[in-house]
Amino acid sequence: RAAEWQLDQPAWSGRLRITARGKTAFIKLEDKTSGELFAQAPVEQFPGIAVESVTDSSRYFVIRVEDGNGRRAFIGVGFVDRGDAFDFNVALQDHFKWVRQQSELAKQAENPEQAPKLDLGFKEGQTIKLNIANMKKKEGAAGSARPRPAGPGGLSLLPPPPGGKSSLSAPVWLPGTPITDSLLAWPQPAAAPPAPDVWGDFTKASG
């Protein structure tokens, strides 16, 4: 509990830095002016025994410092600003998240066959629907071409050849149609007789 510490008279004050070497993170307590190392705590797992939160505050922690000769000690550290305590937690979490990702990638590289494979096959009973250019074909007419519109008299007319102009070297004769000067002249229907006058002499009646 941080309430049991002498918070108004800390034994030491300075700056805290987190560095990493390989998979191990290091909490370094340094002099805020000269940068001289006061103590450091190697962290190989988080959460773990190397860093623990107190039960009555989110700004205070217990860390296990080592001197490099096998001697260890547990000391309490705290932050004046709550945002700094939050950043402290996040920095440790990010480092060990990266460690886990690297470990998983290494395992997949050693055993590529055990990596999860993407299954693109159809499940039993699964169907798909394809809509290709909104084209619909009648039953029994698959592969048949669309009929061309017929011209007068049931004659199918073909489009002109590429180039926009057609040249006829000889008159073209079509059965049942007269031809003049190489131009097709279709017979015109005879003029209908005028309709009889329905009103008769009523137009001349007086009154």
Side-chain angles (χ1 to χ4, degrees), residues 74-144:
F74 291 91
I75 64 173
V77 296
F79 298 90
V80 176
D81 185 74
R82 196 176 303 275
D84 293 336
F86 176 80
D87 292 343
F88 173 76
N89 260 319
V90 170
L92 290 173
Q93 290 173 3
D94 286 349
H95 170 73
F96 287 99
K97 180 180 179 181
W98 172 82
V99 170
R100 288 191 297 270
Q101 291 176 346
Q102 294 300 312
S103 178
E104 292 175 0
L105 291 175
K107 290 180 180 179
Q108 292 180 7
E110 292 177 358
N111 301 311
E113 296 181 355
Q114 296 181 359
K117 297 181 180 180
L118 185 62
D119 185 11
L120 299 178
F122 284 102
K123 305 297 186 294
E124 184 177 356
Q126 184 180 5
T127 60
I128 62 173
K129 181 179 180 182
L130 298 179
N131 188 7
I132 304 176
N134 295 325
M135 295 178 62
K136 296 181 179 179
K137 293 185 177 180
K138 295 182 179 180
E139 296 182 1
S144 61

Side-chain angles (χ1 to χ4, degrees), residues 163-185:
K165 295 182 179 180
S166 61
S167 59
L168 299 176
S169 58
V172 178
W173 178 80
L174 299 177
T177 59
I179 185 167
T180 303
D181 294 335
S182 302
L183 298 177
L184 296 179

